[in-house]
Amino acid sequence: MAELQHFSGAGSVETVNYSSTLSSTEQDLSSQDSSQVPEAASAEVEVHDSSDITEETSGPIKLVAEKDQKTLFAVLQFLRKNNLGETVNALEQEAEKAGVKLKGDPASGSQLSTDEVSSLLSAYSNEADPSSYEDNYRLLQQCIETSLDAHKCELAQLSYPVFIHMYLVLIYNHHETKAKSFFHRFSGVLEDFHQDDLSQLSAVTMKSQMEGNNFIFSLRSNKYVVRISQDSNDMLKRYLEEKNKPLVQDIIQSHITLDVFEGLPRTRTQIKASAGGLCGEARQDENKVKVFYGLLKEPDIDIPLEDDDDLDDSQDGSSKSKKRKKKEFLSKKNKADPNAPALTRIPLPEIKDADKLEKINIAKESLKRVRLGGMERVAPSVCCYTFTNAFGTVTAVDISDDSSLLAAGFQDSHIRVWSLTPRTLRTVKSAAELSLLDKEGDDIFERMMDDCTGVESKTLFGHSGTVYALSISPCRTLLVSSSEDGTVRLWSLLTWTNLVVYKGHVWPVWGTQFGPHGHYFVSCGQDKVARLWVTDHHQPVRMFAGHLSDVDCVAFHHNSNYIATGSSDRSVRVWDVLNGNCVRVFTGHKKPVLCLAWSPDGKYLASAGVDTDILIWDIATKVMVGMFKGHTAAVETLAFSRDGEVLASGGLDNTVKVWDFQQVIWDIDTDDIGMQRGHATITDHNYLLSDFPTKESPIFHLHFTRRNLLLSVASFLNPS
């Protein structure tokens, strides 16, 4: 059985053994208003992905040339071969609108051969002398080395994409020996952070190995983006034209996008800070859309100051301090944020009386909040919960917003929920007992729970694979989970049963998270797509596609209008919930991104992952404004304090680190000319406030309470 150990500072260890289990049945989530608590029904619902979301094509397909028509037939034949019938039908309909007949065979009257299809769809067919590739690449290296120092760093960005595409051209055209020689001769001069990609590339030694390789497919289907100044670009063109070496020019034209900007060339530090993406950097035009990152205006709710634990004016002035904090809180709450979206921009659930009471409790707790960071560089107190003796390895953890519930998912597919307060976990009364209750009473939610069923933990069964992510709803009545089995499940924390099984993803689902207002939740997985769901709909309402590899993590913005995703393609993207468009693309990570966190004011996004670096992105200026270095292994979790003064991180190096985020904001130079061009200068300032190591316990989750106590969750790994 799993044991949850509670470590608080240097105090004693309290170990509680929980063995009670509760089998859950899958139940239907009936259609209802988003403001109502879901009620469990008796039938299991298996939700399948559907074509609920459709996209209009930008215009009819116009094919008049015989060569183009033959290419289109090759595409159709490829789609039919892979059983992509819906795509075939859509393409035929668009072609028919343009007056192109595709129902029959080409003019020749025969099907295209496999070789013809491969030839028409290939971008690497080339009859050049294989020995000339080394000469052309050496010429590019000579151009870089002999250029002025101001241009050298920018031109060096071309070394990697030109290298990989020259290598693939040689492999595709069956020059394996020359390709091997080319690889060993020049791979050593490339940047260290490309070594993982080069390792995958070196495994491709024959043309047949290119087919079905996701890494190669991403390189072939997307141009590598290189940001370069106008002066550097002009110098490169002049040099290549003078030397008359067309191979490099052909590679750049076919497989590389030169994103040219006006102004001075970037420095090596600036280039390295934004390098690392699978297909280069983000283009400038990808980050031009305005983002409403401000917070929504809070409803007008009277917050009572006097309470049983409040002191009057005569007792040490503590009440005066609370009144001052209340005044500051109300002034911030009532101040309109010019960067906030309209309240009606996306549909949000109606605020209920229970939500208003919850907001009052949040406000009262904030008056007792400890101020962290700042000029005094105050570090938070940390309380660590450690799992020991668990039969299934802990794979997912979440803590409710009010810090009263802790949920954990395990490798053996079950989920367990603990209460972190003296209150036990109860089940709702039977239907017969509920019918006898006075439904008009203010304490109806309290009276509908059966006190006789109270236990300290509950176990949920339903998944058939490892549970990879969990998220507790803001109202603490729902739990959403994602798993290796490709499903997302919605659970009731009132009946402790499975309500809905969402089947939209086709591969393992790595992440899921509830929106800050409930009602919405988002999921992401190995299929390179993130999906937005509504609790009372069994189909996704938005699909966010654009990443080139697995989407490993998601994070909802505090105003519910945007979500952020991190991927194994080493990029971070921000998506607009309203229309599903990508509004920000950030590159800079050198390895997969595993965790994300929004600052409380919604303006900054923190990301971290396997490369151990924590990067801070400014949504308004679209640039990286901070980088934290200190972890020695992958960073698994990030959490901002409630006031946004500090950022906590934890990972596989068995440590919790606390960073002075407020100091980063103070150090941002708004007059930096580089920031205006999209590449701010990152300082080497040490922002580490404190470091909390464990013995052999990797950190899986971090959470700040409403009073800024830091809760961490770890799993003890026995070295033996």
Side-chain angles (χ1 to χ4, degrees):
M1 65 187 71
E3 298 179 0
L4 182 63
Q5 294 188 350
H6 174 193
F7 294 84
S8 182
S12 61
V13 178
E14 298 179 1
T15 304
V16 185
N17 300 330
Y18 299 128
S19 60
S20 61
T21 60
L22 179 64
S23 298
S24 64
T25 58
E26 298 171 348
Q27 296 182 320
D28 181 23
L29 178 61
S30 57
S31 298
Q32 55 188 313
D33 182 75
S34 61
S35 63
Q36 300 296 321
V37 178
E39 296 181 359
S42 58
E44 178 182 5
V45 176
E46 292 191 355
V47 182
H48 299 269
D49 194 13
S50 67
S51 56
D52 182 52
I53 300 174
T54 59
E55 294 184 1
E56 295 291 337
T57 55
S58 58
I61 301 175
K62 297 181 179 180
L63 299 173
V64 293
E66 181 180 352
K67 180 179 179 181
D68 291 338
Q69 188 174 11
K70 193 175 182 181
T71 302
L72 187 56
F73 272 102
V75 173
L76 285 172
Q77 187 169 327
F78 173 81
L79 295 174
R80 292 191 184 103
K81 181 180 178 181
N82 289 272
N83 299 321
L84 300 174
E86 293 185 3
T87 307
V88 170
N89 294 335
L91 186 55
E92 288 178 343
Q93 291 174 6
E94 291 297 327
E96 187 175 352
K97 292 179 182 179
V100 180
K101 183 180 178 182
L102 294 178
K103 296 295 184 181
D105 292 337
S108 62
S110 60
Q111 287 286 330
L112 298 173
S113 66
T114 303
D115 291 339
E116 287 178 304
V117 173
S118 178
S119 176
L120 288 168
L121 299 181
S122 171
Y124 289 125
S125 181
N126 196 305
E127 298 300 328
D129 179 8
S131 300
S132 63
Y133 285 88
E134 290 192 8
D135 295 336
N136 277 261
Y137 192 78
R138 192 177 292 108
L139 172 72
L140 176 63
Q141 293 293 91
Q142 182 181 350
C143 171
I144 296 171
E145 292 170 0
T146 58
S147 63
L148 297 175
D149 291 342
H151 305 293
K152 186 175 296 184
C153 294
E154 286 200 325
L155 296 177
Q157 298 177 88
L158 292 168
S159 298
Y160 172 70
V162 171
F163 171 85
I164 58 176
H165 286 293
M166 280 189 171
Y167 177 80
L168 291 175
V169 169
L170 290 170
I171 292 294
Y172 186 87
N173 291 279
H174 303 287
H175 304 304
E176 290 86 359
T177 303
K178 289 292 184 181
K180 184 177 180 180
S181 173
F182 179 82
F183 187 92
H184 288 297
R185 183 180 296 271
F186 297 111
S187 60
V189 303
L190 302 176
E191 294 281 2
D192 293 339
F193 56 80
H194 292 306
Q195 293 307 311
D196 289 345
D197 289 344
L198 293 176
S199 177
Q200 294 187 63
L201 191 67
S202 65
V204 180
T205 58
M206 295 183 294
K207 179 180 177 180
S208 60
Q209 295 174 338
M210 295 175 66
E211 300 177 4
N213 188 310
N214 289 333
F215 174 66
I216 302 300
F217 177 79
S218 297
L219 295 177
R220 296 175 65 182
S221 58
N222 299 275
K223 286 191 172 184
Y224 194 96
V225 180
V226 174
R227 293 198 64 198
I228 190 172
S229 66
Q230 184 65 59
D231 292 342
S232 298
N233 183 51
D234 294 341
M235 196 203 76
L236 175 66
K237 285 183 177 180
R238 288 195 302 269
Y239 188 90
L240 294 178
E241 289 174 357
E242 290 174 1
K243 298 298 182 179
N244 192 25
K245 296 289 186 179
L247 281 181
V248 175
Q249 293 175 301
D250 291 344
I251 290 291
I252 293 176
Q253 183 177 359
S254 301
H255 303 290
I256 299 175
T257 296
L258 295 180
D259 193 15
V260 181
F261 63 89
E262 298 291 340
L264 296 175
R266 294 185 295 171
T267 65
R268 177 178 175 82
T269 302
Q270 292 172 333
I271 293 173
K272 190 173 182 178
S274 58
L278 181 60
C279 288
E281 301 183 52
R283 300 191 310 272
Q284 296 180 75
D285 58 1
E286 290 182 304
N287 291 332
K288 286 186 176 180
V289 179
K290 178 177 174 58
V291 174
F292 301 98
Y293 59 83
L295 304 182
L296 299 176
K297 188 177 183 301
E298 293 288 345
D300 294 329
I301 301 174
D302 184 31
I303 303 173
L305 174 64
E306 298 300 329
D307 203 344
D308 294 336
D309 58 350
D310 286 330
L311 301 175
D312 54 36
D313 295 343
S314 62
Q315 294 180 325
D316 301 329
S318 61
S319 183
K320 292 182 179 179
S321 176
K322 289 186 175 64
K323 287 183 178 180
R324 178 178 53 81
K325 290 183 178 180
K326 178 182 178 182
K327 185 177 180 180
E328 293 176 357
F329 176 83
L330 291 176
S331 63
K332 292 180 181 179
K333 183 176 75 72
N334 296 327
K335 186 178 180 181
D337 191 335
N339 298 303
L343 285 171
T344 57
R345 188 172 186 268
I346 63 170
L348 293 174
E350 182 182 352
I351 297 180
K352 301 172 290 186
D353 291 340
D355 298 326
K356 294 180 180 180
L357 291 175
E358 183 69 16
K359 290 184 179 297
I360 291 176
N361 291 333
I362 294 174
K364 292 170 68 176
E365 288 288 324
S366 69
L367 300 180
K368 306 169 186 176
R369 182 179 298 158
V370 177
R371 183 74 179 270
L372 303 175
M375 299 298 294
E376 296 81 10
R377 294 178 62 84
V378 178
S381 299
V382 180
C383 173
C384 183
Y385 294 93
T386 301
F387 287 93
T388 61
N389 303 328
F391 287 129
T393 305
V394 179
T395 53
V397 177
D398 190 41
I399 297 177
S400 62
D401 181 73
D402 69 342
S403 311
S404 64
L405 299 175
L406 185 151
F410 295 84
Q411 190 173 19
D412 59 7
S413 78
H414 81 277
I415 300 168
R416 179 167 288 185
V417 182
W418 283 269
S419 172
L420 300 182
T421 65
R423 300 189 63 177
T424 57
L425 304 179
R426 299 169 296 172
T427 305
V428 70
K429 293 179 179 178
S430 64
E433 293 176 299
L434 291 176
S435 63
L436 302 177
L437 296 179
D438 177 15
K439 299 178 180 57
E440 301 299 327
D442 294 337
D443 59 344
I444 179 62
F445 287 104
E446 181 67 25
R447 290 185 288 110
M448 66 187 289
M449 306 305 295
D450 188 353
D451 293 330
C452 298
T453 61
V455 292
E456 292 175 312
S457 74
K458 292 279 190 179
T459 306
L460 304 172
F461 296 100
H463 283 294
S464 58
T466 302
V467 180
Y468 286 124
L470 297 168
S471 181
I472 301 173
S473 67
C475 62
R476 302 181 299 283
T477 60
L478 296 172
L479 170 71
V480 65
S481 61
S482 63
S483 169
E484 181 186 19
D485 60 18
T487 66
V488 180
R489 290 177 180 258
L490 183 69
W491 309 83
S492 169
L493 301 187
L494 298 177
T495 61
W496 301 99
T497 54
N498 187 203
L499 299 175
V500 186
V501 183
Y502 301 94
K503 294 186 177 179
H505 294 274
V506 295
W507 300 106
V509 187
W510 303 129
T512 187
Q513 188 185 55
F514 261 109
H517 297 88
H519 191 56
Y520 296 105
F521 66 92
V522 65
S523 62
C524 64
Q526 189 177 337
D527 56 6
K528 309 177 187 177
V529 175
R531 286 173 167 82
L532 179 71
W533 310 81
V534 182
T535 53
D536 55 4
H537 286 70
H538 61 268
Q539 297 173 346
V541 295
R542 288 288 182 275
M543 296 177 66
F544 308 103
H547 281 292
L548 306 178
S549 188
D550 299 25
V551 184
D552 300 310
C553 54
V554 289
F556 243 109
H557 193 277
H558 300 301
N559 63 23
S560 292
N561 281 255
Y562 301 94
I563 67 164
T565 55
S567 170
S568 292
D569 65 11
R570 286 103 71 179
S571 71
V572 175
R573 290 176 179 259
V574 179
W575 310 83
D576 192 340
V577 169
L578 179 64
N579 49 37
N581 293 336
C582 181
V583 295
R584 291 288 184 273
V585 181
F586 299 122
T587 58
H589 283 287
K590 309 305 184 284
K591 292 185 178 181
V593 182
L594 301 181
C595 54
L596 300 165
W598 289 96
S599 63
D601 61 3
K603 186 179 180 181
Y604 301 98
L605 176 65
S607 61
V610 181
D611 61 4
T612 73
D613 293 337
I614 303 169
L615 307 184
I616 310 298
W617 311 95
D618 188 326
I619 301 302
T621 60
K622 316 155 194 174
V623 299
M624 184 198 306
V625 295
M627 178 186 295
F628 298 151
K629 290 179 173 290
H631 283 282
T632 58
V635 180
E636 293 281 333
T637 177
L638 296 169
F640 277 97
S641 62
R642 294 298 176 119
D643 51 15
E645 300 280 344
V646 303
L647 173 67
S649 60
L652 300 184
D653 57 359
N654 307 332
T655 62
V656 175
K657 295 183 183 294
V658 181
W659 311 88
D660 191 349
F661 181 74
Q662 184 59 52
Q663 188 63 46
V664 175
I665 307 305
W666 290 339
D667 289 347
I668 294 177
D669 183 5
T670 56
D671 296 327
D672 183 4
I673 189 72
M675 178 173 289
Q676 300 171 16
R677 296 183 183 136
H679 39 264
T681 302
I682 307 301
T683 65
D684 295 329
H685 190 280
N686 183 15
Y687 295 103
L688 185 64
L689 277 179
S690 55
D691 191 351
F692 301 92
T694 65
K695 290 184 178 179
E696 296 291 340
S697 303
I699 308 300
F700 288 131
H701 188 72
L702 293 172
H703 171 84
F704 276 95
T705 69
R706 292 170 180 172
R707 299 191 187 187
N708 270 345
L709 170 67
L710 178 57
L711 305 181
S712 69
V713 182
S715 180
F716 177 72
L717 299 179
N718 194 331
S720 61

